[in-house]
Amino acid sequence: NTSFVLEPNFWENSALKPKIKNHLLKIVTEFLNFLNLGLSMEDVDDVYFTGSLANYNYTKYSDVDLHILFDFSKIDENEKLVEEFLMSKKNLWNNRHNIRIKGYEIEIYPQNVEETHYSTGVYSVLYDEWVNEPRVPINIWSKINLKDIKKKARELVAAIDDIENLEDKLPEIKRIKEKIRRMRKSGLEKDGEYSAENLAFKVLRRSGHLKKLNDIQKAEYDKSFTLNGI
């Protein structure tokens, strides 16, 4: 996006449009009901609208990144168990639903209040204010190393495509997923959303290779627990 404006379907005078805000909170309420833990909006510390649609680098491929902030320790003292449960329910919700706002798909993410979130655009839906207001890019493309992005993405694309030739696929899938996770985290911590690592991740998502990786993993997992003839 070269005009450097926030997505006009969502924003007016740098504030989230009331109709959008109310619809997002309605979706959050539905997700809380889906968790079946007896949670209500009173148990939510905040709701963040983040990602490229809360920034100047949105495209038609962007998602509505909706982070629901909980204090995991208040749900159960075993925070790791809480995290695994919420992530499992999040994946189930996102796979079951194809909810869109103004053509953009909703992506829900339960987040612990203690978790650091790296983004230059973070808006509190609950409190109607910027937590981290995005900065208008100045000659942003001059700072981006396209060759580095292509190199990182090309290497991972090749690794993902090669998985189909392996007999024991699951260990390699786990290794590649961890590599992608570390790569993106490192890029976000170091240079933010415009880091080569984060943009390479977005290339993989847009090309369908992240979905391919997940699909192969699911098929292999199911196969490992299937007994022929049963």
Side-chain angles (χ1 to χ4, degrees), residues 85-197:
F85 174 79
L86 291 177
M87 290 303 150
S88 175
K89 294 289 275 189
K90 180 266 294 186
N91 291 333
L92 193 57
W93 169 274
N94 287 331
N95 288 334
R96 280 187 181 181
H97 300 287
N98 184 22
I99 302 172
R100 293 177 180 268
I101 296 182
K102 302 297 182 182
Y104 298 100
E105 191 171 355
I106 294 277
E107 186 76 21
I108 284 179
Y109 179 84
Q111 179 180 325
N112 195 346
V113 289
E114 296 179 357
E115 180 182 337
T116 304
H117 181 66
Y118 303 98
S119 181
T120 56
V122 181
Y123 190 87
S124 167
V125 182
L126 277 186
Y127 300 104
D128 251 338
E129 61 185 18
W130 287 102
V131 176
N132 193 359
E133 189 164 2
R135 295 183 298 273
V136 177
I138 301 173
N139 298 324
I140 190 66
W141 292 109
S142 66
K143 302 177 184 179
I144 291 175
N145 188 334
L146 291 176
K147 288 184 179 179
D148 194 23
I149 296 166
K150 289 178 181 177
K151 179 177 179 292
K152 293 179 187 297
R154 191 163 52 243
E155 289 174 355
L156 287 164
V157 163
I160 293 170
D161 287 342
D162 283 346
I163 289 174
E164 292 176 315
N165 299 321
L166 300 176
E167 190 167 328
D168 190 8
K169 298 178 175 62
L170 288 175
E172 179 64 3
I173 291 170
K174 183 178 180 181
R175 185 191 71 79
I176 292 174
K177 278 194 158 188
E178 180 59 23
K179 181 177 181 179
I180 293 171
R181 188 194 69 79
R182 287 199 312 269
M183 176 191 76
R184 190 185 189 201
K185 185 173 187 291
S186 169
L188 287 169
E189 290 179 2
K190 183 179 62 175
D191 295 317
E193 289 176 286
Y194 295 102
S195 65
E197 293 84 355

